[in-house]
Amino acid sequence: MTSITLKEALLQYKTHLDATRSPQPAANCFNQTKSAVTRYLLTGMGYPPPAGRKPTKAETEQVEQALQSICLEQLGRALVDLDKGFDALQSNETQRQSNRSRIAAFLKWVEEEGLLPRKGRQQRTHRCPQINLGRGAHTQKRLTVRDHKLPYGLIAVKPKEVELATKIRADPLATEEEKQWVEEIEQRLALDANAENLYEFLTKERFAHRQDNPVSPSTGRLHIKHLRLFLGWRHYITGVPLEQLAFDVLMPHVQLPDEDEDDSSVIKAAKKAIKKIEADLDQELVSFQDFLEHERESQSPHTPQHYLKAIEKSLRCQYHREAKDTTYSNVPGMGVIQKHRAALRQKEAAHDGVVDLTLKWLDLPDVLKKIVTPLRQECEFRVMSGNQRPLSSIAASFQRYAVWGVLTYEPPRRQEEWRRAKLTSSCLLTDKPQGAAVGQCIHPLPPQKARYNRTEKYYPYLHKADGVWLLDHTEFSYKTAKTYKKQSLEIPNVPFPDGKYFYDYLEAFLYGYYRDQQGNWRSAGELNAPPGANWKLYSLRMTFNPQPVLVGKAGKQQVAMPQGVFVQPQEGTAYDTVGFSQVIGKAAHRLTGQRLTPHLLRDIYATWFLDQGYTSQQISSLAYAMGHSEAMLRRKYDKRKANQKRRAAQEAVSAIVSEHTK
C-alpha cells in the first residue's frame, strides 16, 4: 500500500467528518483534532513548539511543511509522542484529556480505513482502496464563472396539474385567480399537443409531403426541448401571449404563389409579405442571441446553433406542403436562418472553448493509470479495515469500472451510444447456440424484425457471439450512421496481471458472480454453478432492479422495451445525459481532481495520437473507430497547443541546421 502523508490523512478525515456530522460539529471536531496534532503531537515528535496560543505566519508555514513531510508510518508511537508534547508544554489534565481523545479518535479512524499498516501483519488481499480521497464534490470545482440562472422555458403540463385543473373547473366556488390558472393549463395542454404533432412530423418514418428524411426520436426530443426554451423566451421575456404561440408556426404563414401564377399583383403581395416576416424573424433571432449571450451568459457559438436547427425544423414543418425540394430553399425565413448559422460556424472555427482545459485535462496514460486502474481495484468486496462493503456499493463499483472500460479500452465512441445501449431480455429457442450448457448465460441479438422496428432500430445492442462481446449498431443507431452504416464493434478483452480479464468484470456486472469467503471470485458468465462448497452467488446489476425502457408518448400508453445495459443504481432506469456524464465526472474528480467528461475522452485520444507521432494510417483508423472522418478528428478533436503542433517541424529544422553548421 502506498503511504500517504499526515496532511493528506487530515484532509480525508475532514471529508469523513463532513459526511457523517452536521456542519458545525464537524468543523469543531476537525479544528480541535488539527490543533491537537499541530500543537502537541508535533512538539512531542521533536518539532519546535509554538511561541504563543496563536501561531505566527512563519510557524504556520513550518507546521504545513511538517504535515506534508510526515508519513503515517511515523505515527506508530503517536500516543507516546503526544505525552511528550504535553510535558514539554506543561499542559494541565483537562488539556491532556481533551486533546488525547481527539488524537485517539483520529488514529482509530486511520486504522479502520487501513491507512496505518502494522508491522508483522500478513498482507491483506481483496481490499478496496480508499475511495474518498478528500477532494469534495466534483460540482464544487467550477468550470465557468456563470451564476445560476432561473429557467425560462415552457414546461410540459404534469398529470397532477391536469387533475387539479379538472377539480377546479368543476368547483362552483373557484376563485377568479384559480380560473385564470386553469385557462393557462388548457393553453399549455394545447401547446403540448402541438409539440407532439411536430415530433410526429420530425420522427415518423413516413409523413405525407415531407421532403427530407425523419430524425431519430432522441434528436426529435432535443429539437422540441430547444423550441420550448425559444417559445419560453417569447412568452416570459418578450411578452407574447400563450395563445399566440405554436411549435409548428413560428411566424405568420404566407401562401406561396404557384409556379404558373400569372397575376403579378398576387406575386408582388406575397413577396412583400415574405420580406416583412423575414425582416421580423431576422430581428427576433438577433434579440434572442443577445439574450443568450448577455442575460444567460452563454459564451459558446455552439449554443445558439442548437436553437437555430430546431427553428429551421419548425419552418420545414410549417411549409412542408409547399416545399419544392429537400433543401426547403423556397420556404420563407430559411435564408435568414442559414445566414445566422453561417455566421455562427465562422465563430465556431475561431472559438477556443469556454472552459479552461487545464481544469479538465489528463493525458491518455494518466487516464488509464490514475483512473481506470484504481476503478478496477475498487471492485473488491472489503474495505481496507476488513469490513465487507454493501452489495449495492460493490455493484456500483463494477458498473463504474465497466463504463470507464468500454470508453477507454477502445477508441471512445460518443457517450450516447453506451448510455442508450440495450440488452435483449429474451430470445427464440431456435437462436440457442450449439453446445450451450444448461444454465449458461447467452446474449444474442433480437430477431431481425424486432431489431428494425420503429423504435428499436435507433438503439445499439450489446451481445455476445463466439465468445466475443460486441456493440451492434444499425444504420440508424449512432450519429454518423448514414455515412458509416451498420457496424458491430468488438469490445477488447483486456488481460490483467492478476489473471483476470475485462470480460470477467463485464460479465460479473451483468450476471453476478460467485465469491468465496476470502474474496476470490468468478463471473456467472463463466460458470453456471458454484466452483466450491464455500462459494456463493451474488447479483450485481440486478441489485439495481433494472427497469424496461418505456417507449411512447408520456402520459399515454407506453410499451416496455428491453433494458439498458447501464442503469442508475437508485432508480433502475436508463441514464440520461447528465447522469451518465456524472459517472465519468465524479470518478475522475475523486481520483485526480480533474473534471473529465465522456466527450473529453475523445479529445484526449485524438490529441495523444496526433501529438505522439502516430502514422497517418493509424490516425485515420482511430478516426474511423471513433465514428468520424480524419478531417473531423483534426478539426474538432485536436486540442494540442501551438508549441506542440510546431514541435515536429522544429525538431526537423533543428536537425537540418545542426547538420549544415558543423
Side-chain angles (χ1 to χ4, degrees), residues 417-553:
E417 296 180 27
W418 280 109
R419 175 173 58 82
R420 292 165 49 79
K422 288 186 176 185
L423 284 167
T424 50
S425 54
S426 62
C427 66
L428 299 174
L429 291 176
T430 53
D431 293 336
K432 179 181 176 181
Q434 293 184 355
V438 176
Q440 180 181 341
C441 294
I442 61 172
H443 251 113
L445 285 170
Q448 186 77 356
K449 184 177 180 180
R451 184 76 179 93
Y452 277 86
N453 69 30
R454 182 183 174 186
T455 58
E456 290 307 286
K457 67 182 182 180
Y458 292 108
Y459 290 89
Y461 267 80
L462 181 67
H463 75 109
K464 193 175 185 181
D466 299 325
V468 177
W469 280 99
L470 303 161
L471 186 65
D472 186 80
H473 277 294
T474 69
E475 301 88 337
F476 308 93
S477 60
Y478 63 105
K479 186 174 181 179
T480 52
K482 290 181 181 179
T483 301
Y484 297 103
K485 309 302 181 185
K486 174 178 169 61
Q487 290 189 344
S488 208
L489 308 174
E490 180 177 341
I491 300 169
N493 191 17
V494 178
F496 305 113
D498 59 3
K500 286 280 193 288
Y501 288 80
F502 180 60
Y503 283 8
D504 294 327
Y505 290 86
L506 180 61
E507 294 179 3
F509 168 66
L510 295 175
Y511 306 133
Y513 67 174
Y514 295 98
R515 192 183 73 213
D516 67 8
Q517 296 177 352
Q518 287 71 44
N520 301 299
W521 63 268
R522 296 175 70 179
S523 77
E526 177 189 2
L527 304 174
N528 53 27
N534 295 323
W535 292 66
K536 182 180 177 182
L537 178 64
Y538 297 88
S539 296
L540 293 178
R541 178 174 173 272
M542 294 307 294
T543 63
F544 302 150
N545 189 25
Q547 303 297 309
V549 176
L550 296 178
V551 176
K553 298 178 181 179

Side-chain angles (χ1 to χ4, degrees), residues 321-337:
R321 292 178 178 275
E322 299 158 274
K324 292 181 178 180
D325 53 39
T326 57
T327 66
Y328 291 75
S329 57
N330 67 313
V331 169
M334 198 62 68
V336 174
I337 292 175

Side-chain angles (χ1 to χ4, degrees), residues 111-122:
E111 171 61 23
E112 288 176 347
E113 293 297 315
L115 302 179
L116 183 60
R118 291 181 178 176
K119 294 182 179 179
R121 176 177 290 182
Q122 188 177 16

